[in-house]
Structures are given as C-alpha cells and as structure tokens.
Amino acid sequence: MAPSLEVSEYVQDVLSHPLKVGPKLVAPEPEHCPGPESESAGKADSCEGCPNQAICASAPKGPDPDIPVITERLSGIKHKVLILSGKGGVGKSTFSSLLAYAFATNPDSTVGIMDTDICGPSIPKMMGVEAETIHVSGGGWSPVWVQDNLGVMSVQFMLPNRDDAVIWRGPKKNGLIKQFLKDVEWGDMDFLLVDTPPGTSDEHLSVNSFLKESGVDGAVVVTTPQEVALLDVRKEIDFCRKAGIKVLGIVENMSGFVCPKCTHESQIFQATTGGARALAKETNIPFLGAVPLDPRIGIAADYGESFFDAWPDSPACSALKVVVRKVAEEMGLRPETVLPED
Amino acid sequence: MSLQRVKHIVLVLSGKGGVGKSSITTQLALSLSTAGHVVGILDIDLTGPSIPRLLGIESAKVTQAPGGWVPVPVHPANPEKNIGALSCMSLGFLLRERGDAVVWRGPKKTAMVRQFLSDVLWGDIDYLLIDTPPGTSDEHISLAETLLKQAQVAGAVVVTTPQAVATADVKKELNFCMKTGIKVIGVVENMSGFVCPNCSECTDVFSRGGGEIMAQEFGVRFLGSVPIDPQFVMLVETGKRPVYPVGTKVDGVEFRGRTNGDTAMDVKDPGLLVEKYQDCSLCPVFQNITKEVVAVVNGQGNGVVVA
C-alpha cells in the first residue's frame, strides 16, 4: 500500500489551536511530538518518556495573552493586506514594495510594510534602506521610514552584518513576527502590507493567528505563469481557504517579455496550463492583472528605487497601476482615491 | 541506515526562492545520469515540492517495503547508452491531491526531513542530490545536523540568479554553510540572460554576473552561468522535445540539437526525459558544470570551506 499523508485533520488542529502559549521545554521536541502547544501536548503516545511530558501536560491551554496587546497596537491601522505565494522568487517582495509605493503616492495615505521573511528579507534592499537600524524609544520600536508616509520593518535592520544568515527554527521566527506586531509603533496607518516568505509554514500560521482578531482585509496572491509555480500557488490558496483568509485576487508576474531590440514578445515562463487567469477561474478568485517581465523592474529593485518614479511611461508601469487599482477595488475602496490618475 | 550505500551526497541550496534550485537539481541529475552514474534525488521542499512535476512523474506514488519507502523510479539504467538509473523521493508523492497545502510548523518538518533521510531505501547510488526549500531554517538545520555525521556529504551546490536582490539572500546561505561546516562545491548562476528567439539578441532580464562576483567575494568556485531557455521549460512542462532555430549558438558554439522544427506544436513527444534533454541547449552547459562537480566531489579539486 502506498503511504499517504493524512494531513487535513492535522491542518485543522494547527489552524484552530495555533496560539496556545508554548511551554518552556527542558529537552528538544522528540520526533513524533504532537507540538507543545497542541491539544494533546503531554498526552500523546509519543509523549511517553519525553522529559518535557509533565511540563507540556500542565502548560496553560488558553489563547495567547499577547493577542489583545497586538490588536490594541494595530488598532490605528485601517487596512491590512497579506502578500502571499506558495512559490519563491515570483515577485512577492517586488510587488509588496510597488504596491506600497503606489499607495503612498497619495500624500494623505500612510503605508507600512512588515517583512516576515526572516531568512531571506528583500524589502529593505528594494526600498533602499538596507543599512538602516531600528530606533527603540519608550513607545516601542520605530519603523524605518523610506519616505514621509512609508515605513518598513524587517529583520534585516537587526543584523550586525548585512550578509549574516538568520539560522532560526520556527518558534524563534514566530517570536520575532510577534514582536514586529506587538512592539513596533505602527501608529495610525491606512495600509499595512505584510510580505511573506514562500510556503505554508510557521510564518504564515503566525501572521494569520496574530492578526485574526484585529482583522485582515485579505491576501494578494502572486504567481508566475508556468505550471511548476502555479502548483505551489494552488497550495497557498488551499491554505487561505482552510485558514479563512479572503483572497483579494491573483497577480501574474513575469508575464511575457518584449525584446528591447526587435519588440518580439516571448513567453519566457510559458503558461502551459493557462497561467494565473485559468487558476483564478478554476478557484473562483478575481484575476488582478498581468505584469510583463521588464528587466528595469529588477534593476530598480537592486538600486532601491521606485520603479514608478524611474520608468513612469513603461508598459509594465501601466500594467502595475491597473493591478493596484484592482486591489483597491477588491478591498472595497475607491481606486481613484487610492491611486490618483496621473 | 538508508544512506549507507550512497557514495556521494550533494546538497542544492539557495537563500532565495524561485532561482531554480529544483530545475538545477533536475538537470544535474539528468546530466550525471547521462554520464553513467546512478543518481537519486531527495526533495525536502515540503511545502512546495517541484521535483515530481519537473520529472514528469506527478501522479507516481511511493511504495512501502520492509525497512522503508521505495523511491519512485524515473528511468532505468541503460548500459548500452551509458545511462545510469535515476530515482526520486518527494513529499509530493505522498499527497492525496496535488493542490493540497502542507501546513506544518517546524518540528513536524524536522521529523519529516529526518524520516526522509533514514527511511528511504536508496540502494546502491553514486550521487544523491538533495533539493531544498529556500532559507536557513528548520529543514536546513535538520539536514546539517543529520548529515554532517555522514562521511559521504560532498558539499553544496549553491544556486543564485544574477540580480543583487537575489545574491543578498544567497550570501546569507553561504554564511549558513560556513557556520554549519558544509563545504561549498561551487556557485551556479541561473537565469543568466535570455536569447530572443526572433532576433537572437541576448537580454539580461535579471541583470548579469552577480553570481560570479559573489563567488569571488566568498572565495568559492564559480561553476558556470545557465541562460534562460524557454524550450527547457516546455520540455518539463509539456514533454515537448526542444527545437531551435537554425544557427542557435550556445556559448558561441553552434548548437547541434534539433533545429527548425515546428515550434508551434506543444505536444508531448515520446521518449524518456533523459533522452529528450540531450536535445536541449542547456545540456552541454550542464555537462561542463557536472564535470566540475564530479571533479570536486572526487577530490580532484577541493570543495572550499567558506572562511
């Protein structure tokens, strides 16, 4: 018989009880640990003989007492949007930064980006604030301000050296994400964009549960056109469904490439199964638009500049504006207020 | 221990997602196999396994045998053509539905990685390539902890794309290798330029040269640059045998694969992936990379401990 993972029950357990306060363990979790925060902590068969058993069994099983603190801290933020993709390198961070720049073109809006990619933070470099550090005051940690109305928080600001690896297991990553929400002085903001790492693991579960009470407008799912990317994106949509996160829509990035010499359009990452459009239809999720692969987007990101400012007349720029307005529309906002027509 | 009969273990790492770890793993495997080696691929990207799709065996299932799991065979050995067997293990084979999310926290991922390392019946294998998810977290720490006790671990092939945003993350991965004592076999720069099929103009869609500069900066070997070839994407996505316009050049040399076919037809051609891959323009590129990897692994050039 082929072994198969009976995951669905486990997923529900993780999603519905993710925020029990983790007990202080005296030894590493054993191989078949049900999870120190889970309902069966200390009581499962695999807990027999584990040095942590008594600690886990007697640990308080209530919800995390920090959640109300987070909710209070974020009470001045009007809209929270997650940027997700099951796949890496499709442009989550690029899109997050561009969405932030676009929202911030309205001088009356204040925008924040929280970078929850702990092992591979890209937002600081893309926004040209890589070398900044966090200032701590009585009120908490101050975000790093890229412009007057655009603030950023990322683990990159906390590293002694730029290239240091953050070699952390899940619980430590969750702890930092909690601090980003609990200890950062976000203040009054119109938009908080949460950039995430690829996958469906600790960071995603934590963000989802920490923000559940204060409310999230929804998630923008980013993909590239080829099926090998869509495959992982399907998993992310499945995750959103199970976790009760509303998907605002799907963006197709790197969609077609126009040769700068002969203007011939090539499908570098062929949409052999219909790309994001087909996936949107299949999953009944709004399609937000397609952004062509323009090497200048990557160059702007490498130099920490806003692509909108650098190449305002490019086709990619127009495509991005369509997507931004569609995101606003899906959030129930007036697109022309969020991103004024030029 | 299931790795006992594995001669060499090579990790494929990158701090950055979507740079082509799985595609590089696949091509290294095909290339090693074409050189007559028996190869296995272990895919430990648990929440986004790509290897089954890239090898065109998405619907395959793992079978249980006494003592562990039997990896999925990709192609058998063909001594006449000097092709070694290729087999593969991935979490993708254990899912009921291909779109199912695997929502696991760290400890569960750690347990699965350990199980993959201890319970898969690889048999006699020359090279086991381990494809990893992006980052420096649970899967990587578990891998380092479990594998560093194994004498056969040759080191890591580190994959990046050229742009600075990518190398910034990959530098963190090199520092991870340094901290954990994993030898770096070398750096591969993927998606290095795209040749327009219409006018043959090469555009550096994701910049150029960042991988080589990073390798220099860290004092590790640069294994080579791999351009973007949409024909490779088509090969793995649809099973279509690659065809190129007449006069296509790879590294300045006229490419000897199939040319001038009916490029509009996206149909699955018969034949094994390993055979069709030999018509791909990236095949000679990987032959060179593979030669270097094999030389380093066999001690004719040492992997560099990043210092």
mmCIF file of all heavy atoms in Angstrom, chain A residues 21 33 71 74 112 146 195 209 313:
data_model
loop_
_atom_site.group_PDB
_atom_site.id
_atom_site.type_symbol
_atom_site.label_atom_id
_atom_site.label_comp_id
_atom_site.label_asym_id
_atom_site.label_seq_id
_atom_site.Cartn_x
_atom_site.Cartn_y
_atom_site.Cartn_z
ATOM 1 N N VAL A 21 0.020 29.144 24.481
ATOM 2 C CA VAL A 21 1.348 29.603 24.884
ATOM 3 C C VAL A 21 2.269 28.396 24.921
ATOM 4 O O VAL A 21 1.967 27.403 25.577
ATOM 5 C CB VAL A 21 1.274 30.238 26.279
ATOM 6 C CG1 VAL A 21 2.600 30.884 26.628
ATOM 7 C CG2 VAL A 21 0.164 31.250 26.331
ATOM 8 N N CYS A 33 6.544 14.437 18.123
ATOM 9 C CA CYS A 33 5.943 15.392 19.057
ATOM 10 C C CYS A 33 4.641 15.935 18.480
ATOM 11 O O CYS A 33 4.595 16.360 17.327
ATOM 12 C CB CYS A 33 6.925 16.543 19.274
ATOM 13 S SG CYS A 33 6.312 17.844 20.339
ATOM 14 N N THR A 71 -3.725 43.437 19.041
ATOM 15 C CA THR A 71 -4.935 44.054 18.496
ATOM 16 C C THR A 71 -4.995 45.536 18.870
ATOM 17 O O THR A 71 -5.314 46.390 18.050
ATOM 18 C CB THR A 71 -6.182 43.311 19.018
ATOM 19 O OG1 THR A 71 -6.002 41.915 18.746
ATOM 20 C CG2 THR A 71 -7.442 43.794 18.344
ATOM 21 N N LEU A 74 -2.404 47.539 16.869
ATOM 22 C CA LEU A 74 -2.733 47.731 15.456
ATOM 23 C C LEU A 74 -4.067 48.438 15.247
ATOM 24 O O LEU A 74 -4.548 48.550 14.121
ATOM 25 C CB LEU A 74 -2.760 46.373 14.731
ATOM 26 C CG LEU A 74 -1.471 45.541 14.791
ATOM 27 C CD1 LEU A 74 -1.642 44.257 13.994
ATOM 28 C CD2 LEU A 74 -0.272 46.314 14.266
ATOM 29 N N GLY A 112 2.600 51.067 5.543
ATOM 30 C CA GLY A 112 3.682 50.326 6.190
ATOM 31 C C GLY A 112 3.877 48.981 5.521
ATOM 32 O O GLY A 112 2.937 48.415 4.967
ATOM 33 N N VAL A 146 10.938 55.139 4.715
ATOM 34 C CA VAL A 146 11.506 55.259 3.378
ATOM 35 C C VAL A 146 11.181 56.640 2.828
ATOM 36 O O VAL A 146 11.989 57.290 2.189
ATOM 37 C CB VAL A 146 10.917 54.175 2.445
ATOM 38 C CG1 VAL A 146 11.467 54.316 1.036
ATOM 39 C CG2 VAL A 146 11.190 52.786 3.000
ATOM 40 N N ASP A 195 4.513 41.292 3.842
ATOM 41 C CA ASP A 195 5.229 40.472 2.864
ATOM 42 C C ASP A 195 5.640 39.176 3.558
ATOM 43 O O ASP A 195 6.065 39.195 4.708
ATOM 44 C CB ASP A 195 6.471 41.230 2.371
ATOM 45 C CG ASP A 195 7.173 40.513 1.228
ATOM 46 O OD1 ASP A 195 6.513 39.729 0.523
ATOM 47 O OD2 ASP A 195 8.386 40.731 1.040
ATOM 48 N N SER A 209 -2.722 33.911 12.709
ATOM 49 C CA SER A 209 -3.362 33.862 14.020
ATOM 50 C C SER A 209 -3.172 35.138 14.820
ATOM 51 O O SER A 209 -4.074 35.571 15.520
ATOM 52 C CB SER A 209 -2.902 32.635 14.802
ATOM 53 O OG SER A 209 -1.552 32.416 14.588
ATOM 54 N N ASP A 313 6.578 55.793 -17.791
ATOM 55 C CA ASP A 313 5.883 55.621 -19.064
ATOM 56 C C ASP A 313 5.955 54.201 -19.615
ATOM 57 O O ASP A 313 5.506 53.926 -20.723
ATOM 58 C CB ASP A 313 6.448 56.589 -20.108
ATOM 59 C CG ASP A 313 6.332 58.031 -19.636
ATOM 60 O OD1 ASP A 313 5.299 58.340 -19.000
ATOM 61 O OD2 ASP A 313 7.268 58.822 -19.874
#
